[in-house]
Amino acid sequence: MIDMVNSPPHYIIKPGLEVIQLREALANKLQAEGVVMPYADYSDWDRALEYLLRAPWKNSEEDYAKSMYYLRRLLDRFEERKNYES
């Protein structure tokens, strides 16, 4: 039986490895290496990654568009900071 709450197929990368575990591993790597990222930047980066990783198995074009939406928000924030620093 497919468990759409705890282990939906579109989040399974391979048996024993799910998207959430990859996201947690990347978050841990950032922390371990002392990478400081504002919460809003991290949130948009993480969401973009999640939508990108599941897209081929779930909503394809819609998920790619959502990933781009979050990447655009992140890039816009970078641009705003660059303009502010100038």
Side-chain angles (χ1 to χ4, degrees):
M1 181 175 179
I2 296 174
D3 185 348
M4 293 303 289
V5 173
N6 296 303
S7 194
H10 54 275
Y11 282 118
I12 298 172
I13 296 172
K14 67 178 191 172
L17 180 61
E18 295 191 26
V19 169
I20 195 167
Q21 294 164 312
L22 178 60
R23 291 170 53 215
E24 288 170 348
L26 290 169
N28 289 335
K29 180 177 172 68
L30 289 171
Q31 186 175 16
E33 294 183 6
V35 176
V36 177
M37 187 182 291
Y39 176 78
D41 290 0
Y42 175 79
S43 179
D44 286 342
W45 173 74
D46 185 54
R47 289 176 188 203
L49 177 65
E50 180 177 359
Y51 281 113
L52 184 62
L53 291 172
R54 78 178 200 185
W57 298 275
K58 191 165 186 213
N59 295 323
S60 293
E61 187 176 350
E62 181 181 322
D63 279 357
Y64 289 125
K66 287 178 182 177
S67 182
M68 289 298 297
Y69 169 80
Y70 287 109
L71 285 174
R72 176 54 44 210
R73 283 173 43 100
L74 178 60
L75 291 170
D76 287 348
R77 217 175 295 106
F78 284 159
E79 227 17 71
E80 286 173 22
R81 287 196 291 263
K82 192 168 32 172
N83 291 336
Y84 180 75
E85 293 169 358
S86 298

